[in-house]
């Protein structure tokens, strides 16, 4: 894939196949699938085909799927649909901010710490919370550091607590665990369109729409049909590409980590690649300001993210880095997307090395 | 004990200053860092871990920093 600039930020353009599908879908999938005419029947068929395809790729049944048009509400639906007022909500210090917001408005909560590798230690899960009166918000992998949790060990130790999985950062790179009640996916994680959140609700789960509602619909159903169709196509082609891309990106991430460690002193790498997603790397450099580093890289056509306080609107550093005890200043976050070339990664390594050296002078 | 005053400075400036200052003391000796960046303890602890030195908070803005690494 050709890049106008070398994009190592979290966001990536819509997959080209999904872009084609979106253009077709805007022509064909504009009518309301809930109405009765032939036009509507056509839209209904397209919608059902898309849901069947998404369900197959995520290894769930179509009836277990709900699609929403506001992805930031995805974790809310997944968790609040299981959570009763007297239940205990268990979550971790590296969860997404939306989870903290849910916890703030709930009475009984337990926040689990993480190790310096970003993982929850199973022994930190309190025995008293391993009951059906608990909901465990389990972030499968972290979007800032790529750290994957010890999912099956955590599920085993959580006893009969109900499990709401957050797959928004990793998508189907990681299979659903042996036991789950709800799971939340974001189509952006597979180069799908912005604005599509997918909630899987296990058939047997006691889940109820947490929003005020009339009727039997479990979610608002106000989502754009063309975007659902584009998300389904993106997922299908991304999944196929991922078979080859995953090991290739892991190898590039390994090269990135090794070469930066070897050439740049005082670099703090968050987490271990062996327990991380293959495409995310978080690097913090001592004595360097994150914003300056980001701007230096931008000046040479390289776009990265940063978790440093100086790059955040609220001037707070990444709560993930803070929870892991990783250096919060001089941080950059690198995402390797499908199609990134080894040449681009070499250029990235050279640009980081040069920029850090110059900033430390 | 020498004091390094970084009140009003944001990270990474206090870390840069303490790193320079600690290089001029003998292993086992300490400095006092005064810093009011709300993030200072997070980064000071990470710096100490990365460079093999030791940090002991005395108050919210006062930290004892001990050189442990021979090769700072």
């Amino acid at each position: 894939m050709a890049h106008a600039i070398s994009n190592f930020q979290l966001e990536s353009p819509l997959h080209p196949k999904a872009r084609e599908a979106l253009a077709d879908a805007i022509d064909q999938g504009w009518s309301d699938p809930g109405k009765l005419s032939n036009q509507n029947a056509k839209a209904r068929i397209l919608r059902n085909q898309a849901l069947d395809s998404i369900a197959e790729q995520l290894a769930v049944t179509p009836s277990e799927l709900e699609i929403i048009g506001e992805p930031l509400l995805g974790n809310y639906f997944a968790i609040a649909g299981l959570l009763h007022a007297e239940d205990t909500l268990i979550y971790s210090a590296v969860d997404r901010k939306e989870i903290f917001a849910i916890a703030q408005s709930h009475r009984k909560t337990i926040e689990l710490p993480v190790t310096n590798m970003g993982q929850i230690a199973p022994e930190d899960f309190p025995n008293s919370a391993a009951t059906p009166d608990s909901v465990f918000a389990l972030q499968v992998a972290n979007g800032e550091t790529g750290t994957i949790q010890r999912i099956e060990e955590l599920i085993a130790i959580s006893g009969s607590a109900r499990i709401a999985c957050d797959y928004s950062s990793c998508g189907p790179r990681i299979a659903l665990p042996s036991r789950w009640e709800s799971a939340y996916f974001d189509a952006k994680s597979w180069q799908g369109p912005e604005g599509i959140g997918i909630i899987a609700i296990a058939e047997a789960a006691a889940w109820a729409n947490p929003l005020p509602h009339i009727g039997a619909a479990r979610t608002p159903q106000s989502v754009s049909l063309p975007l659902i169709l584009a998300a389904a196509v993106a997922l299908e082609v991304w999944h196929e590409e991922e078979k080859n891309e995953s090991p290739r990106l892991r190898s590039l991430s390994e090269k990135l980590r090794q070469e930066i460690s070897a050439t740049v002193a005082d670099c703090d790498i968050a987490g271990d690649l062996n327990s991380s997603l293959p495409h995310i790397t978080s690097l913090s450099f001592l004595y360097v300001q994150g914003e300056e580093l980001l701007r230096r890289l931008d000046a040479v056509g390289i776009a990265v993210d940063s978790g440093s306080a100086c790059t955040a609107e609220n001037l707070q550093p990444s709560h993930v880095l803070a929870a892991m005890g990783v250096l919060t200043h001089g941080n950059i976050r690198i995402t390797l997307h499908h199609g990134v070339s080894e040449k681009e990664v070499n250029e990235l390594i050279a640009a980081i090395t040069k920029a850090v050296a110059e900033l430390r002078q | 004990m020498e004091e390094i005053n970084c009140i009003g400075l944001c990270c990474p400036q206090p870390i840069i200053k303490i790193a320079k200052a600690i290089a001029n003391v003998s292993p086992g000796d300490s400095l006092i860092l005064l810093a009011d960046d709300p993030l200072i303890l997070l980064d000071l602890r990470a710096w100490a871990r990365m460079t093999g030195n030791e940090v002991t908070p005395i108050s919210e803005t006062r930290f004892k920093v001990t050189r442990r690494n021979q090769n700072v």
Side-chain angles (χ1 to χ4, degrees), chain A residues 266-268 286-289 309 316-317 322 325-329, chain B residues 11-12 15-16 19 38-39 42-47 49-51:
Chain A
D266 297 322
C267 172
D268 205 8
L286 262 179
Y287 318 127
V288 169
Q289 197 186 35
Q316 290 297 309
V326 173
L327 187 70
T328 69
H329 74 245
Chain B
C11 283
I15 304 292
I16 293 172
L39 311 174
L42 283 174
D43 278 0
L44 209 46
R45 282 188 168 138
W47 168 80
R49 171 178 54 76
M50 292 169 73
T51 59

Side-chain angles (χ1 to χ4, degrees), chain A residues 15-335:
Chain A
H15 195 287
K17 293 268 172 58
R19 194 186 174 92
E20 284 172 27
L22 181 59
D24 286 347
I26 287 169
D27 290 336
Q28 296 183 42
W30 51 268
S31 72
D32 182 346
K35 293 182 180 173
L36 290 177
S37 76
N38 281 339
Q39 281 287 10
N40 307 119
K42 189 175 172 186
R44 197 158 49 244
I45 290 166
L46 288 172
R47 186 179 196 276
N48 289 343
Q49 285 173 342
L51 290 182
D52 286 349
S53 172
I54 292 171
E56 186 184 343
Q57 299 292 327
L58 300 182
V60 298
T61 63
S63 61
E64 288 177 313
L65 283 187
E66 288 292 327
I67 316 280
I68 58 168
E70 176 42 87
L72 282 177
L73 285 178
N75 275 311
Y76 176 74
F77 273 105
I79 294 167
L82 298 172
L83 191 66
H84 304 114
E86 292 306 311
D87 291 344
T88 301
L89 172 63
I90 302 131
Y91 63 102
S92 91
V94 295
D95 274 333
R96 295 176 72 107
K97 287 287 173 68
E98 301 97 90
I99 312 290
F100 288 80
I102 297 167
Q104 272 177 16
S105 62
H106 194 69
R107 204 163 64 82
K108 295 184 194 168
T109 61
I110 297 171
E111 182 179 311
L112 301 175
V114 296
T115 65
N116 58 6
M117 288 290 117
Q119 292 182 314
I120 302 165
E123 58 271 23
D124 283 339
F125 193 97
N127 286 337
S128 60
T131 69
D133 299 331
S134 298
V135 173
F136 182 16
L138 174 55
Q139 182 186 67
V140 173
N142 187 275
E144 291 189 32
T145 62
T147 302
I148 300 169
Q149 293 299 332
R150 296 158 63 181
I151 303 161
E152 289 301 336
E153 287 175 79
L154 289 168
I155 285 177
I157 205 144
S158 66
S160 50
R162 286 157 293 145
I163 311 290
C165 298
D166 179 5
Y167 275 81
S168 57
S169 296
C170 60
R173 285 181 176 91
I174 299 170
L176 282 163
S178 56
R179 185 170 74 79
W180 58 279
E181 267 71 28
S182 64
Y184 167 59
F185 298 84
D186 187 331
K188 280 192 302 180
S189 70
W190 57 75
Q191 276 188 271
E194 176 103 25
I196 290 290
I198 296 167
I199 304 153
I201 302 161
E203 299 282 9
W207 185 95
N209 183 352
L211 293 183
H213 59 282
I214 294 170
R218 298 196 292 186
T219 52
Q221 309 292 306
S222 54
V223 59
S224 151
L225 177 56
L227 291 184
I228 297 177
L229 301 178
V233 170
L235 178 54
E236 213 165 294
V237 289
W238 176 91
H239 221 164
E240 190 56 34
E241 289 174 0
E242 178 69 0
K243 290 171 193 162
N244 292 325
E245 285 295 88
S246 179
R248 193 181 72 85
L249 297 183
R250 183 171 293 281
S251 159
L252 288 174
S253 289
E254 196 169 359
K255 175 191 177 81
L256 173 69
R257 288 174 183 237
Q258 281 176 355
E259 293 195 11
I260 291 288
S261 295
T263 56
V264 187
D266 297 322
C267 172
D268 205 8
I269 302 179
D272 186 288
L273 185 56
N274 290 326
S275 55
S276 293
L277 296 173
H279 65 300
I280 295 176
T281 306
S282 173
L283 307 166
S284 298
F285 300 95
L286 262 179
Y287 318 127
V288 169
Q289 197 186 35
E291 183 183 358
E292 287 179 357
L293 180 54
L294 196 139
R295 289 189 191 284
R296 291 258 175 160
L297 295 174
D298 187 53
V300 294
I302 291 174
V304 298
D305 292 309
S306 172
S308 289
C310 52
T311 64
E313 274 180 33
N314 61 3
L315 295 179
Q316 290 297 309
S318 151
H319 69 286
V320 176
L321 299 181
M324 293 169 70
V326 173
L327 187 70
T328 69
H329 74 245
N331 176 263
I332 54 171
R333 194 165 60 237
I334 293 153
T335 308

